[in-house]
Amino acid sequence: MITEQEFHRIVVFVKQKYGIDLAGKQVLVNGRMENYILRNGYSGYDEYMAKVEKNPKGEEARNLINVLTTNHTYFMREFEHMDYLKQIILPQLKAKESAKKDIRIWSAASSTGEEPYTIAMVLKDYFGLDHKLWDTRVLATDLSTRVLEVAQRGKYLKEQIDPLPESWKRHYFKRVSALEYQATSELKKEVIFRQFNLMNPFPFRKKFHVVFMRNVMIYFDDATKQQLLRKVYDYMEPGGYLFVGTTESIDRKGNKFQYVKPSIYQK
Ligand SMILES: C[S@@+](CC[C@H](N)C(=O)[O-])C[C@H]1O[C@@H](n2cnc3c(N)ncnc32)[C@H](O)[C@@H]1O
């Protein structure tokens, strides 16, 4: 079992680098890490963390993230946001951006890809035959390289894609084995996956029209959340929309977002 001191060392590192607040989650941390550490030949937590801290951009730090992040997601999650995108936001953007035909949507904690692929399918549906005239590629980022690999492969079990509308399954997924379906290259090319830590300065050249930052701020403490929301605000177009998870809310005292309706905000 992990000692108080060993646990504290991990909590401090993970909070400082990735914003993730693990305080009180000693059992979870030990459950996820003990096996990994022993299997990989470390004498214990201290030897492991010494290696991680020595090279925070290295492979072991990546493995730590891959083991400690919670990546649960699924197709059609909080689908009311996708309806809102299609019915309210896209008509506005289609009119506003008719000259440049460039719509920038960011899935800021994309996990294994279900969220950004769904956004891409909504965009394809909405624009129909005009889609090829527009650049609507979705930027999808996550801290964990493991989930990004899954997302880029785009392979899902039949049960995972089952909740999708039949026409989407037919158009955007092909069966690749008895149990698995894979996103078609037509769908994959609509999403650009990149590793990105939300705690880092934002490197984006252009501002976003829509940001999905759903079910990730739950892992951050209030100060970290507010700081992140201020950064996101600065990187959004005027009038741009922010979606957070439907069980989340943001405290508007620390930032300038306007409340639209539960879990939807606007710059
Ligand atoms: C529960 S998933 C949410 C997936 C999707 N947005 C949804 O709502 O279903 C949370 C994701 O946030 C990512 N994450 C946690 N801390 C992060 C950080 N500092 N920067 C970027 N992504 C982070 C995790 O790796 C994980 O994949």
Side-chain angles (χ1 to χ4, degrees):
M1 186 65 187
I2 191 166
T3 66
E4 277 299 331
Q5 231 173 4
E6 289 164 341
F7 177 60
H8 182 70
R9 187 169 180 179
I10 296 173
V11 172
V12 170
F13 180 84
V14 169
K15 171 84 194 300
Q16 199 204 355
K17 295 278 182 215
Y18 316 121
I20 300 172
D21 187 4
L22 292 171
K25 300 199 172 150
Q26 198 154 345
V27 175
L28 175 128
V29 169
N30 190 59
R32 288 187 182 180
M33 288 191 65
E34 195 169 41
N35 241 332
Y36 176 83
I37 285 178
L38 297 177
R39 244 191 5 245
N40 287 280
Y42 291 99
S43 59
Y45 282 99
D46 279 336
E47 189 191 351
Y48 176 72
M49 282 309 291
K51 180 139 185 212
V52 170
E53 285 164 357
K54 200 166 151 213
N55 187 3
K57 293 214 165 90
E59 198 190 333
E60 278 305 13
R62 258 200 318 273
N63 289 332
L64 179 75
I65 295 164
N66 289 344
V67 174
L68 284 183
T69 51
T70 300
N71 317 106
H72 182 61
T73 185
Y74 46 93
F75 282 111
M76 307 297 278
R77 185 177 203 175
E78 301 169 339
F79 200 75
E80 57 269 42
H81 289 157
M82 301 300 164
D83 279 335
Y84 194 85
L85 175 66
K86 188 167 176 184
Q87 273 152 33
I88 310 287
I89 303 177
L90 291 179
Q92 289 173 6
L93 288 176
K94 191 174 181 182
K96 198 169 144 218
E97 299 300 323
S98 62
K100 291 196 183 123
K101 295 192 166 43
D102 180 18
I103 293 183
R104 294 178 296 278
I105 302 184
W106 179 25
S107 164
S110 62
S111 189
T112 38
E114 287 85 338
E115 178 181 284
Y117 283 135
T118 304
I119 299 167
M121 290 187 281
V122 170
L123 286 161
K124 277 188 157 284
D125 251 21
Y126 177 77
F127 283 97
L129 292 174
D130 281 348
H131 188 251
K132 56 181 181 306
L133 305 174
W134 288 74
D135 184 355
T136 66
R137 278 169 303 170
V138 178
L139 175 67
T141 62
D142 200 280
L143 177 61
S144 159
T145 51
R146 187 188 64 78
V147 293
L148 289 168
E149 279 164 25
V150 174
Q152 270 165 316
R153 219 175 297 129
K155 269 192 196 169
Y156 301 96
L157 296 172
K158 182 175 180 307
E159 301 89 272
Q160 289 176 290
I161 68 158
D162 255 352
L164 293 173
E166 279 309 316
S167 65
W168 282 5
K169 284 193 251 184
R170 243 192 350 264
H171 272 104
Y172 303 121
F173 290 87
K174 56 175 188 288
R175 192 169 186 164
V176 288
S177 73
L179 300 174
E180 284 174 316
Y181 286 72
Q182 185 163 29
T184 58
S185 47
E186 183 195 342
L187 179 60
K188 280 189 186 172
K189 72 176 176 13
E190 294 303 321
V191 184
I192 300 163
F193 289 102
R194 293 274 182 281
Q195 200 264 352
F196 182 63
N197 178 0
L198 290 166
M199 298 302 115
N200 288 350
F202 287 2
F204 312 117
R205 277 180 295 121
K206 292 185 179 168
K207 296 188 172 180
F208 296 103
H209 297 103
V210 185
V211 176
F212 285 78
M213 199 161 62
R214 305 190 304 173
N215 305 298
V216 58
M217 286 188 292
I218 35 174
Y219 304 108
F220 306 150
D221 67 15
D222 280 343
T224 309
K225 235 161 93 170
Q226 286 302 343
Q227 220 175 3
L228 174 60
L229 285 166
R230 285 193 289 273
K231 274 199 301 191
V232 171
Y233 186 92
D234 288 343
Y235 277 79
M236 283 174 61
E237 289 283 343
Y241 287 89
L242 169 70
F243 293 101
V244 301
T246 51
T247 58
E248 301 172 282
S249 63
I250 65 177
D251 179 356
R252 272 161 294 142
K253 273 191 235 102
N255 58 73
K256 293 185 269 182
F257 282 108
Q258 307 276 324
Y259 172 83
V260 178
K261 53 199 235 158
S263 70
I264 308 179
Y265 298 84
Q266 197 172 14
K267 174 161 173 172

